[in-house]
Amino acid sequence: MADLLTLENATNLLMLCFLQAVLGFDNLLYISIESQRAPVAQQKSVRTWGIMIAVALRVVLLFTMIKLIDALSEPFFIMDWVGVLEGGVNFATIVFVIGGIFIMYTAVKEIAHMLSMDNLGHDVHGKSGKSAAQVVILIVIMNLIFSFDSVLSALAITDVFPILAFAIILSGLAMLLLADGVTRFLEKNRMYEVLGLFILLIVGVVLLGEAGPAAAHAVHDDTLNIKVFGKDIIPMSKSTFYFSVVVLVAVEIIQSGYSRKLSAQRHAEQKH
């Protein structure tokens, strides 16, 4: 125990908590939006159980990856369709591709659902498209997919399992504290739910980008980077992603304020 109480471990823990907070934003957004697909009376418990189970499984995933990091990193398939599709595929590649496609599908499906609704109020209070168990399972699966990138990044900082596990547990507690507030905000400001879905769409693109160099980075061989029509798939940097999110939020806030101003002006003109 005394070996863990060092300045290096304390510094690594602070860095890991910051990393989990930065990388956990999109995860929290997905949990808040997906939990609204469950019956209204069970949404809070869905978020709680989904996060708790996901955090427990994330610790298990961390332990497994520490033990099997070499086996999981080795490419098991090499694509050699020269000039069309080239590169290596490992376990991380599959996780990022499946996760990216699923998140993009979810976002597009929900956006299409919003556009096809006749009664927005009924959709808020009468959601029952999925059972609570189905939503919990989806939250847990997507939490693990989101966490895959953060676990790999965390392992680059330290391989001390208790420190890594403690950081994951702290991030889980933070999500438990924030999930209800984020969900209530989205319910009261439904225009931001649309914004959230478009952010998730970008997250899906980010995950697909992460799949490109996954095998190459794991074995430090740039020739394994996935190429499509001779062009490397390059992942979007986190700074670019968060800048895009800030721009989207700023546009939404300005547009909402401008729309309210126009409505007020038209209402005043109608009175006169």
Side-chain angles (χ1 to χ4, degrees):
M1 182 66 182
D3 294 339
L4 296 176
L5 302 176
T6 64
L7 180 60
E8 180 183 2
N9 283 339
T11 303
N12 287 338
L13 179 60
L14 289 174
M15 291 179 64
L16 287 168
C17 288
F18 176 75
L19 176 69
Q20 294 292 330
V22 171
L23 296 179
F25 166 76
D26 43 12
N27 194 355
L28 180 61
L29 183 63
Y30 178 84
I31 290 170
S32 299
I33 291 176
E34 187 60 37
S35 66
Q36 295 181 61
R37 309 281 85 81
V40 175
Q42 297 175 294
Q43 287 179 10
K44 181 177 175 60
S45 61
V46 160
R47 289 190 290 272
T48 301
W49 281 105
I51 293 172
M52 289 174 62
I53 295 172
V55 168
L57 290 179
R58 191 184 291 194
V59 174
V60 173
L61 173 66
L62 171 66
F63 180 79
T64 303
M65 289 185 66
I66 289 175
K67 297 297 182 182
L68 301 177
I69 189 68
D70 292 331
L72 293 174
S73 64
E74 283 296 323
F76 58 81
F77 181 70
I78 305 296
M79 299 178 291
D80 58 356
W81 192 357
V82 179
V84 179
L85 191 60
E86 304 169 72
V89 176
N90 66 356
F91 179 72
T93 308
I94 300 300
V95 170
F96 288 138
V97 169
I98 293 175
I101 291 174
F102 183 80
I103 290 172
M104 291 175 70
Y105 165 76
T106 300
V108 171
K109 183 184 69 172
E110 292 301 331
I111 291 169
H113 172 65
M114 287 182 171
L115 292 175
S116 65
M117 283 189 304
D118 295 324
N119 189 329
L120 294 176
H122 175 74
D123 186 67
V124 173
H125 300 291
K127 291 172 183 169
S128 58
K130 295 177 183 175
S131 68
Q134 287 176 313
V135 176
V136 168
I137 291 171
L138 277 175
I139 288 175
V140 169
I141 292 173
M142 294 313 300
N143 192 292
L144 289 176
I145 291 173
F146 278 119
S147 69
F148 196 80
D149 191 23
S150 64
V151 167
L152 289 175
S153 302
L155 286 172
I157 296 174
T158 181
D159 59 356
V160 180
F161 178 74
I163 301 298
L164 290 164
F166 189 51
I168 289 173
I169 291 170
L170 286 178
S171 71
L173 291 173
M175 282 195 289
L176 282 172
L177 290 173
L178 295 173
D180 288 349
V182 172
T183 303
R184 284 194 298 270
F185 176 82
L186 291 176
E187 287 175 345
K188 292 179 181 178
N189 304 272
R190 299 212 67 206
M191 72 289 274
Y192 290 107
E193 185 174 355
V194 178
L195 175 63
L197 289 170
F198 274 100
I199 292 174
L200 283 182
L201 193 60
I202 298 175
V203 170
V205 175
V206 170
L207 284 178
L208 289 179
E210 294 286 349
H217 286 175
V219 295
H220 307 289
D221 183 356
D222 291 340
T223 62
L224 293 176
N225 197 89
I226 295 177
K227 298 180 179 66
V228 178
F229 298 116
K231 303 294 184 181
D232 285 336
I233 295 179
I234 301 174
M236 183 188 295
S237 69
K238 294 298 180 184
S239 57
T240 302
F241 168 69
Y242 285 110
F243 177 75
S244 302
V245 170
V246 170
V247 169
L248 284 174
V249 172
V251 169
E252 181 63 38
I253 291 172
I254 293 171
Q255 183 173 317
S256 298
Y258 187 62
S259 296
R260 285 194 296 269
K261 186 176 180 180
L262 283 177
S263 297
Q265 183 176 342
R266 287 169 182 165
H267 185 67
E269 289 174 353
Q270 287 174 358
K271 280 187 174 180
H272 294 293

